[in-house]
Amino acid sequence: GYRLSGRKAVVIGGHSAGGIIVSARTSGGSRDETGISLYLVDPSAEGVSRRVYPTIDGRKGCELFLDNVQVGADALLGEAGNALPALRYQQGRAIAAQCADALGSMQEACKLTLDYLKTRRQFGVPIGKFQVLQHRMVDMQTELEQATSMAILAATVADAEDSDDRSRTLAAAKYICTRAARKIAEEAIQLHGGIGMTWEYNLAHHAKRLVMIAHQFGDDDHHLQAYARLMQVA
């Protein structure tokens, strides 16, 4: 079998998982692409501990600590030392799913904002009558339409064979969806005013979720750089 020691940071949902897939280096240097293996670890095993904390979007994550944890030979998943390609491929699928997740919150943020502009009144009229707010609402809808197209495109390549073209598409989708998510969340809060960040109001939860998604699996700067590198390869 194997003995695992180390620490994993920001394991989303790891506090309640019955089994956790842990990547560990079994050979090579710290930056080598080969030598990484995957193991299925029982969180209740001796030497495993977790520090649980809430994330900003209302979910929970944990720090996972492994202190000389004994696992059997059957805990190894796949081929020893060759897990990185699988990790990269599954990250691409996760990015596609994340774009869809973000799209749902962006749609709801736009809907809540439009309803608010139609009902909130200032100077005797709904604030949606003011042209500058109409323009900002249109900008939000434009971002939503772009994000929708890219989320659909990401879904079409999520299960495709690994390639530079697939990676470019997913990097572009994450970049566009992340940029749109941040823009829509910020504009929605601005157009609502203080009520937009009230915990009892749904918009606050969607906005926090969008901020969280914008930083998971790489932010927009990371994926823009990745896209640029892949274009140079092409």
Side-chain angles (χ1 to χ4, degrees):
Y2 304 87
R3 291 187 181 275
L4 305 177
S5 293
R7 169 177 171 266
K8 296 293 183 181
V10 197
V11 183
I12 303 299
H15 65 290
S16 60
I20 299 178
I21 297 175
V22 175
S23 60
R25 179 163 291 284
T26 51
S27 64
S30 61
R31 306 299 294 180
D32 290 350
E33 294 198 357
T34 58
I36 299 174
S37 304
L38 296 178
Y39 301 92
L40 183 60
V41 175
D42 182 355
S44 63
E46 184 178 355
V48 180
S49 60
R50 290 176 284 189
R51 183 175 67 84
V52 182
Y53 50 82
T55 55
I56 63 167
D57 58 346
R59 291 164 172 77
K60 287 185 178 180
C62 74
E63 305 289 294
L64 180 70
F65 300 94
L66 306 167
D67 183 13
N68 205 27
V69 179
Q70 176 73 44
V71 296
D74 59 346
L76 176 66
L77 302 178
E79 182 182 349
N82 196 32
L84 187 59
L87 287 171
R88 283 176 171 166
Y89 184 81
Q90 296 302 332
Q91 183 186 47
R93 298 183 72 201
I95 286 172
Q98 225 180 30
C99 289
D101 186 349
L103 191 61
S105 285
M106 285 188 274
Q107 290 172 339
E108 189 63 17
C110 286
K111 177 180 177 295
L112 289 169
T113 304
L114 184 59
D115 289 344
Y116 185 78
L117 295 181
K118 290 178 178 179
T119 56
R120 178 74 166 90
R121 300 179 70 86
Q122 283 280 358
F123 308 109
V125 297
I127 60 175
K129 291 286 187 180
F130 302 140
Q131 191 176 54
V132 66
L133 300 188
Q134 293 174 4
H135 289 170
R136 294 177 73 170
M137 188 71 236
V138 169
D139 289 342
M140 289 175 62
Q141 287 293 144
T142 301
E143 293 287 345
L144 176 61
E145 291 300 320
Q146 290 180 339
T148 300
S149 297
M150 294 306 293
I152 294 172
L153 181 60
T156 65
V157 302
D159 292 331
E161 291 186 6
D162 193 17
S163 65
D164 286 344
D165 187 55
R166 174 182 181 268
S167 298
R168 277 195 301 270
T169 300
L170 291 170
K174 185 62 160 66
Y175 171 74
I176 294 296
C177 289
T178 294
R179 188 194 65 183
R182 187 165 57 246
K183 172 72 173 177
I184 288 173
E186 292 173 354
E187 285 294 308
I189 291 170
Q190 285 291 317
L191 292 176
H192 273 83
I195 187 66
M197 284 303 294
T198 302
W199 196 244
E200 290 78 12
Y201 189 52
N202 282 345
L203 177 63
H205 298 276
H206 288 292
K208 288 176 180 290
R209 178 62 181 153
L210 290 173
V211 170
M212 188 73 171
I213 288 174
H215 290 86
Q216 281 185 305
F217 301 118
D219 60 10
D220 52 345
D221 287 338
H222 169 81
H223 285 284
L224 183 60
Q225 291 172 0
Y227 183 84
R229 285 196 303 269
L230 289 165
M231 286 299 292
Q232 290 171 0
V233 171

